[in-house]
Amino acid sequence: MEVGQHFYWKIGGFQVHAQVIITSWVVIAILLGSAIIAVRNPQTIPTDSQNFFEYVLEFIRDVSKTQIGEEYGPWVPFIGTLFLFIFVSNWSGALLPWKIIQLPHGELAAPTNDINTTVALALLTSVAYFYAGLSKKGLGYFGKYIQPTPILLPINILEDFTKPLSLSFRLFGNILADELVVLVLVSLVPSVVPIPVMLLGLFTSGIQALIFATLAAAYIGESMEGHH
């Protein structure tokens, strides 16, 4: 694993991490392909694949409804996108043979293995958080910062800034740590021994996607309710 090394592209005067762009495109292609398959030919009596996609949708709706409340409907696509992108990204890092593709610098890995990706997802959540509060309460939303007393204004503001940081570092740290543990085990012991750890990594990767989506929905629900 090449930590800290990146393959750069220049786009519009900006330097971007090319390996993250490439793997993100692959993840997006997988999601779009799955969506096309899901809606291509719906049946009155669902097939196995249709049942699977409906179960995933129902699961995302339940997470959104539990955390946001009765006004969860408009937020299902956002929460679902976060969950599915992180889930597929994490699993792609564990299951797809990225290492066989050689780059001039760095290596291909899960998009969520890059701090820039997790920060971007956290900032999207933060924007959604403020949008939900402002669309529900208007400028009166900012009144929450001086409740229950104006003395807590700096702490309340700091809390809102730490939410995206917490989401980002939690996701990035867990994914990176999992990959490092597997790589260390592979280098120290025969190949068959790390397999249970890799399977555990798949499970924890799914849990991390669920935690991120659940916390994002909880933050949005909190901003719409107007209390902590």
Side-chain angles (χ1 to χ4, degrees):
M1 184 179 204
E2 302 181 37
V3 179
Q5 298 188 36
H6 300 287
F7 175 45
Y8 292 102
W9 282 344
K10 281 195 174 180
I11 301 177
F14 295 96
Q15 276 194 335
V16 298
H17 292 178
Q19 70 266 33
V20 179
I21 300 287
I22 294 169
T23 52
S24 295
W25 283 345
V26 172
V27 170
I28 291 170
I30 292 172
L31 291 173
L32 286 176
S34 300
I36 291 171
I37 292 172
V39 302
R40 184 179 55 183
N41 188 25
Q43 302 292 324
T44 306
I45 300 176
T47 60
D48 290 341
S49 60
Q50 188 174 333
N51 275 328
F52 172 75
F53 289 119
E54 288 179 359
Y55 172 78
V56 172
L57 176 59
E58 194 63 32
F59 175 76
I60 294 169
R61 289 181 61 189
D62 286 344
V63 171
S64 303
K65 185 174 182 179
T66 301
Q67 300 300 324
I68 298 175
E70 293 302 321
E71 298 179 81
Y72 74 96
W75 294 102
V76 171
F78 178 73
I79 301 302
T81 300
L82 286 178
F83 173 75
L84 292 173
F85 180 80
I86 296 171
F87 185 90
V88 176
S89 293
N90 292 350
W91 274 48
S92 72
L95 297 177
L96 297 183
W98 296 117
K99 302 294 187 295
I100 65 175
I101 302 175
Q102 298 296 318
L103 298 178
H105 302 284
E107 63 183 18
L108 296 177
T112 44
N113 199 27
D114 190 292
I115 187 66
N116 296 289
T117 303
T118 61
V119 168
L121 293 172
L123 288 176
L124 280 174
T125 302
S126 192
V127 169
Y129 171 84
F130 285 109
Y131 173 78
L134 288 170
S135 62
K136 180 78 180 289
K137 301 183 177 242
L139 294 178
Y141 166 76
F142 294 107
K144 72 168 192 165
Y145 290 110
I146 56 174
Q147 293 183 8
T149 169
I151 296 174
L152 295 177
L153 175 63
I155 297 175
N156 289 335
I157 292 175
L158 183 62
E159 180 187 2
D160 274 355
F161 278 100
T162 55
K163 283 175 180 176
L165 285 175
S166 142
L167 282 173
S168 173
F169 284 110
R170 179 186 289 111
L171 178 61
F172 172 72
N174 281 297
I175 298 304
L176 182 61
D178 180 64
E179 291 200 10
L180 288 174
V181 167
V182 172
L183 285 169
V184 169
L185 287 174
V186 168
S187 65
L188 294 177
V189 296
S191 299
V192 70
V193 176
I195 290 177
V197 179
M198 295 172 69
L199 294 175
L200 179 62
L202 290 176
F203 174 74
T204 56
S205 295
I207 294 298
Q208 285 303 316
L210 176 60
I211 289 173
F212 194 103
T214 301
L215 287 176
Y219 292 158
I220 291 171
E222 178 184 289
S223 70
M224 295 173 72
E225 290 173 2
H227 60 77
H228 297 277

